[in-house]
C-alpha cells in the first residue's frame, strides 16, 4: 500500500514538472481591436477611422469619417440628420453645407463622397453605401483632447463617436485614437 502511494505521488510530481517544461511560450491575453459598439436601435455605424487635418500651429480644424447603415437598418435620408460636436471646451450643433455636398466652412458639415452609390446620386444612405462626412467645428482641436461627434438620424439611437486627438498633430491624416 505504501509503494502505491509513493507511485501516485511520483506521477503527480512528474506531471507538474512536465507541464512547466515545454518549449511553447505561454500566450497572454490577445488585445481586442478598438471597435465602437453598435447600440440597440442604432441605424448608422462608423466605418473606418476618424481623421483630421490641421492648420499651422498644431490644431485640427476638420474631421472626416465614413458612415454606413447597420445591417438590416432602413435607408436614412442624410438631409434629415443632425450632427453635434463636443470637446472639453465647447459643444455646438453643426449646420449642413448648401446642397449637403462639399467642403464645409466653420460651423458646418458636408458630404464629401459616396462609396458604392446605389442608383442615381441622392442624399439617401442605402444598402452598402458609405458616406464620407467632413465636419468643420468653430473650435480647433488640440493634441490629446477628447472629442465626441454625435450623428442623430430621424429615427433610431444616435451614432456617438468618441476619440482623442493624437499627441502629435500633422498637417494631414491625423488618426484620432479610440478611447
Amino acid at each position: 500500500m505504501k509503494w502505491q502511494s509513493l507511485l501516485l505521488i511520483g506521477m503527480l510530481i512528474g506531471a507538474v514538472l512536465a507541464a512547466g517544461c515545454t518549449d511553447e511560450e505561454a500566450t497572454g491575453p490577445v488585445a481586442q481591436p478598438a471597435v465602437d459598439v453598435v447600440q440597440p436601435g442604432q441605424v448608422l455605424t462608423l466605418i473606418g477611422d476618424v481623421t483630421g487635418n490641421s492648420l499651422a500651429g498644431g490644431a485640427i480644424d476638420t474631421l472626416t469619417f465614413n458612415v454606413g447603415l447597420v445591417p438590416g437598418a432602413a435607408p436614412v435620408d442624410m438631409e434629415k440628420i443632425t450632427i453635434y460636436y463636443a470637446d472639453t471646451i465647447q459643444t455646438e450643433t453643426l449646420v449642413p453645407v448648401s446642397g449637403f455636398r462639399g467642403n464645409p466652412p466653420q460651423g458646418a458639415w458636408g458630404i464629401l463622397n459616396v462609396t458604392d452609390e446605389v442608383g442615381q446620386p441622392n442624399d439617401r444612405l442605402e444598402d452598402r453605401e458609405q458616406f464620407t462626412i467632413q465636419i468643420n467645428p468653430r473650435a480647433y482641436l488640440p493634441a490629446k483632447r477628447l472629442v465626441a461627434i454625435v450623428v442623430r438620424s430621424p429615427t433610431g439611437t444616435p451614432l456617438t463617436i468618441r476619440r482623442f486627438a493624437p499627441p502629435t498633430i500633422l498637417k494631414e491624416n491625423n488618426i484620432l485614437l479610440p478611447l
Side-chain angles (χ1 to χ4, degrees), residues 133-151:
I133 297 176
Q134 186 173 70
I135 65 170
N136 188 350
R138 286 184 180 84
Y140 300 131
L141 181 63
K144 299 182 184 178
R145 184 171 292 168
L146 175 66
V147 63
I149 303 163
V150 177
V151 182

Side-chain angles (χ1 to χ4, degrees), residues 83-155:
I83 299 180
Y84 304 97
Y85 169 89
D87 60 25
T88 55
I89 305 292
Q90 79 171 37
T91 300
E92 64 180 292
T93 302
L94 303 171
V95 297
V97 297
S98 178
F100 296 92
R101 295 189 185 226
N103 291 324
Q106 276 194 323
W109 67 271
I111 299 168
L112 296 183
N113 185 39
V114 180
T115 305
D116 297 329
E117 192 159 19
V118 175
Q120 296 295 321
N122 58 39
D123 296 330
R124 191 171 174 86
L125 180 60
E126 302 174 283
D127 297 325
R128 283 173 244 142
E129 291 180 335
Q130 294 179 21
F131 278 43
T132 302
I133 297 176
Q134 186 173 70
I135 65 170
N136 188 350
R138 286 184 180 84
Y140 300 131
L141 181 63
K144 299 182 184 178
R145 184 171 292 168
L146 175 66
V147 63
I149 303 163
V150 177
V151 182
R152 182 177 293 278
S153 61
T155 60

Side-chain angles (χ1 to χ4, degrees), residues 3-151:
W3 68 272
Q4 292 171 340
S5 300
L6 290 175
L7 179 62
L8 181 61
I9 291 172
M11 288 183 358
L12 287 174
I13 291 172
V16 169
L17 290 175
C21 296
T22 63
D23 289 337
E24 299 174 17
E25 284 188 31
T27 58
V30 177
Q32 296 296 321
V35 175
D36 293 308
V37 177
V38 175
Q39 301 297 321
Q42 188 173 317
V43 294
L44 296 174
T45 186
L46 177 68
I47 300 171
D49 293 322
V50 178
T51 60
N53 293 332
S54 76
L55 300 165
I60 294 173
D61 65 335
T62 59
L63 298 168
T64 306
F65 55 93
N66 293 314
V67 295
L69 290 175
V70 170
V76 172
D77 185 353
M78 296 301 281
E79 293 179 6
K80 295 182 179 174
I81 68 167
T82 306
I83 299 180
Y84 304 97
Y85 169 89
D87 60 25
T88 55
I89 305 292
Q90 79 171 37
T91 300
E92 64 180 292
T93 302
L94 303 171
V95 297
V97 297
S98 178
F100 296 92
R101 295 189 185 226
N103 291 324
Q106 276 194 323
W109 67 271
I111 299 168
L112 296 183
N113 185 39
V114 180
T115 305
D116 297 329
E117 192 159 19
V118 175
Q120 296 295 321
N122 58 39
D123 296 330
R124 191 171 174 86
L125 180 60
E126 302 174 283
D127 297 325
R128 283 173 244 142
E129 291 180 335
Q130 294 179 21
F131 278 43
T132 302
I133 297 176
Q134 186 173 70
I135 65 170
N136 188 350
R138 286 184 180 84
Y140 300 131
L141 181 63
K144 299 182 184 178
R145 184 171 292 168
L146 175 66
V147 63
I149 303 163
V150 177
V151 182

